[in-house]
Amino acid sequence: MNDAHQDPGIGERNPQPPERGEDGPLVHLARGQFVAETSRPVARAALSARAVAGLWALRVFVVVVSLMVIYTFIDQLR
Amino acid sequence: MTRTPSSLPAGDINPAPLPEPPLTKEDAARSRDRARVHRARGGSRHWQLLWLLAGPGILAMLGENDGPSMIAYASDGAQYGLGFFVPLILVLFAMAFVCQEMCMRVGAVTHRGYGGLVLQRYGRIWGWFGAGDLIVTNLVTLIAEFVSIRVGLAYFGLGSGAAVALGLTLVVFTLSGKRYWRWERVVLGLALFNGLFLVAAILVKPHPGAVAASLDFVPFPGGSFNTLLLLLASTVGATVTPWMIFFQMSASADKGMTARDLRHGRYDTAAGAVLAAIFGIGALIAGAALLTHGGSGIQGFAGAGFPEALKHVAGGAAGTVFALGLIEAGAVAILTICASTAYAAGECAGVSHSFNNSPRSAAVFYAANLGVALLAAVVILIPGAPLLSIVLNANVLATVLLPVTLVFMVMLANDAGLMGQWANKPATNAVGITVIVFVGLCGAAYGIDSFLQVIHLVGP
């Protein structure tokens, strides 16, 4: 449903963060944890047309039900 | 400070050294926290490791044991007793664990929050829809949290002004440390006072046999179909909400958790679920003390009804502890919900979003954190504002909007490109999809049934 179509994802780029001992004043961060890395956007996933249609259907349904709840809430105030 | 090359591309046996990324103050602060984790892991100090890695899971779960939720549990107990709800609460928190474990896992593996990932991976429109849902539900819920503090303080003769001052002071105080670690530890310390609801349950002296018998599932004890739907929707909304998803994923990343910490992240999330279930059942038992008194207190909720009603039924100590519990529940939820709003704002705007940064470097993050609290505080100071209705509908609205958030969360957790070997297994997907369907049905059924009643298409 959500295949990456650009560069490899985060999971592949950073398979295992290192756990270095106290052998010096180190930066104890995996590469993917640096702000410089997390500021880079991840590749856009390619969603199938069916997945997009399903997401839109769910979104419309949720908005409609939310409006019903809000209408009921306002009616209860009267 | 020198640096180590910290990760290798998958399958690369002898790679060329990677260029070192620039080190920011945020990186340095996170690195200090990680250094303690590395020392504890290297020295096989298991309890210390557990202590260092605990936090986001417990905070998400106990943060959701907020004012409206504890009122909802107590109302359930006062109106219907224990029988139906004790097993329901246990099932719902098991459900919450499945959702929150996925959040922790995605945050720890990707080092990114929910808002940013959805926006970048699936497109801006879905990211902003998610952020919009979060802001609406968070604002409504925050108003309910201030009301909860007000109800607790009213028992001690204090009013709305004191509730606003307490809530905002806590937000400013916790933000003043400019470190994630400090924020987390302060809020964790406060969150443990959620146990006051268990103390209240003990003080009402429930019959041990009745509590044990409540573990046997019994049918819904009565009331209309709409009442059952309202109770289900609000109880689900008291267990899993959009802000928890945003919060735990972002907080796990901000804390610096990595894939090596997943086991401890699961312990943290499980501990949170167990504690939240126990304390929630505590509120239910305390409320059930009012059952023989016709559920008194519910109608008087806006006027601090529950603590007062408990005082008359079970003594002053029970009322006082319950009132203090409501203050704590509201205060912790304000802190965690404001944090989730701030994370989402920073991630969606593409700017710094970490407690490890200064307000100058992360202006949007700090402004959103304080701004949403201020906005909610202003609403509860408006004379005649329909606070009781807001409290009662806060959880329902969260339940209605939750399915979309959950769908994207399951998509992220399944995304092999992001998650690699830590992507969801089929069993986790089966449970996750079941949860989404259950939550969607509860929210939709209540919303549609209530609407049809209001427009007189069906009878009450």
Side-chain angles (χ1 to χ4, degrees):
Chain A
M1 185 156 59
N2 44 28
D3 301 323
H5 59 82
Q6 294 179 22
D7 55 331
I10 295 163
E12 282 105 8
R13 285 204 311 269
N14 300 307
Q16 189 73 13
E19 298 292 344
R20 294 286 294 262
E22 283 296 283
D23 54 0
L26 304 172
V27 173
H28 292 263
L29 294 178
R31 184 175 191 83
Q33 287 181 289
F34 282 89
V35 171
E37 288 288 323
T38 56
S39 301
R40 280 189 4 202
V42 296
R44 179 82 179 264
L47 296 175
S48 68
R50 280 173 60 184
V52 173
L55 287 171
W56 273 111
L58 181 63
R59 165 54 60 186
V60 170
F61 177 71
V62 160
V63 168
V64 169
V65 176
S66 301
L67 291 175
M68 288 177 175
V69 169
I70 292 167
Y71 183 87
T72 307
F73 166 70
I74 293 168
D75 186 77
Q76 286 167 352
L77 296 181
R78 284 192 246 132
Chain B
M1 242 184 204
T2 60
R3 291 184 217 159
T4 57
S6 53
S7 69
L8 305 175
D12 204 341
I13 296 167
N14 192 16
L18 293 166
E20 293 177 348
L23 188 71
T24 64
K25 279 173 71 178
E26 182 184 330
D27 291 327
R30 190 167 296 127
S31 178
R32 285 199 291 277
D33 295 341
R34 292 302 298 171
R36 286 185 290 171
V37 172
H38 291 186
R39 279 196 295 273
R41 182 169 279 137
S44 297
R45 295 191 288 268
H46 300 296
W47 287 107
Q48 190 186 1
L49 194 57
L50 207 57
W51 161 250
L52 291 170
L53 292 174
I58 293 177
L59 286 181
M61 295 290 188
L62 290 185
E64 186 44 27
N65 260 10
D66 59 351
S69 301
M70 299 321 245
I71 290 290
Y73 294 142
S75 296
D76 294 342
Q79 286 181 288
Y80 303 105
L82 303 178
F84 177 77
F85 291 98
V86 172
L88 180 68
I89 290 173
L90 294 175
V91 169
L92 289 177
F93 273 104
M95 204 174 86
F97 170 80
V98 174
C99 297
Q100 295 307 118
E101 189 274 339
M102 275 190 252
C103 297
M104 178 277 300
R105 185 155 34 91
V106 176
V109 171
T110 65
H111 316 300
R112 295 163 193 254
Y114 178 94
L117 272 181
V118 170
L119 188 134
Q120 293 163 13
R121 197 74 170 149
Y122 304 115
R124 302 190 70 79
I125 192 161
W126 297 112
W128 282 109
F129 267 142
D133 288 351
L134 183 80
I135 289 167
V136 169
T137 54
N138 278 6
L139 187 59
V140 174
T141 311
L142 277 171
I143 294 166
E145 307 306 345
F146 275 107
V147 174
S148 165
I149 295 180
R150 197 189 88 163
V151 167
L153 288 175
Y155 182 82
F156 303 103
L158 298 168
S160 298
V164 166
L166 177 64
L168 293 181
T169 302
L170 279 171
V171 173
V172 172
F173 173 71
T174 52
L175 287 179
S176 64
K178 300 172 200 166
R179 282 294 304 275
Y180 173 83
W181 174 258
R182 178 182 179 274
W183 180 89
E184 182 191 85
R185 296 295 127 167
V186 170
V187 186
L188 263 182
L190 279 173
L192 292 180
F193 286 94
N194 206 252
L196 285 168
F197 290 99
L198 184 61
V199 177
I202 294 167
L203 288 173
V204 300
K205 299 185 181 71
H207 192 280
V211 177
S214 67
L215 290 169
D216 295 330
F217 194 83
V218 296
F220 182 63
S224 68
F225 180 61
N226 191 260
T227 307
L228 171 63
L229 291 177
L230 173 61
L231 284 171
L232 275 178
S234 61
T235 312
V236 170
T239 319
V240 194
T241 53
W243 77 258
M244 292 169 73
I245 310 282
F246 276 79
F247 172 80
Q248 189 163 355
M249 204 180 288
S250 299
S252 298
D254 202 6
K255 186 178 175 68
M257 291 179 73
T258 71
R260 282 200 72 178
D261 306 320
L262 291 182
R263 186 158 56 98
H264 287 83
R266 290 190 185 105
Y267 293 155
D268 173 44
T269 309
V274 170
L275 287 174
I278 291 172
F279 300 157
I281 290 171
L284 183 78
I285 292 172
L290 304 174
L291 179 65
T292 52
H293 296 258
S296 63
I298 297 159
Q299 284 73 26
F301 167 72
F306 258 109
E308 279 295 337
L310 270 180
K311 180 181 171 182
H312 293 305
V313 172
T320 301
V321 167
F322 198 90
L324 289 172
L326 286 179
I327 296 168
E328 176 278 338
V332 169
I334 285 173
L335 298 173
T336 49
I337 293 170
C338 287
S340 79
T341 314
Y343 279 130
E347 288 164 13
C348 288
V351 295
S352 179
H353 47 272
S354 171
F355 282 106
N356 285 322
N357 251 329
S358 66
R360 185 173 293 180
S361 309
V364 170
F365 176 81
Y366 280 87
N369 207 319
L370 189 56
V372 72
L374 274 170
L375 205 56
V378 165
V379 172
I380 83 150
L381 291 175
I382 297 172
L387 301 179
L388 179 58
S389 294
I390 290 173
V391 171
L392 293 176
N393 284 283
N395 283 341
V396 175
L397 191 61
T399 306
V400 169
L401 290 172
L402 183 60
V404 184
T405 313
L406 286 177
V407 164
F408 278 107
M409 197 256 300
V410 172
M411 284 168 65
L412 288 172
N414 272 288
D415 192 329
L418 291 175
M419 296 294 290
Q421 61 179 293
W422 294 283
N424 267 5
K425 302 286 183 290
T428 317
N429 279 333
V431 178
I433 291 166
T434 306
V435 169
I436 292 170
V437 171
F438 176 70
V439 170
L441 285 178
C442 285
Y446 171 70
I448 293 169
D449 189 60
S450 303
F451 178 73
L452 293 179
Q453 283 189 26
V454 166
I455 61 172
H456 306 295
L457 278 182
V458 298

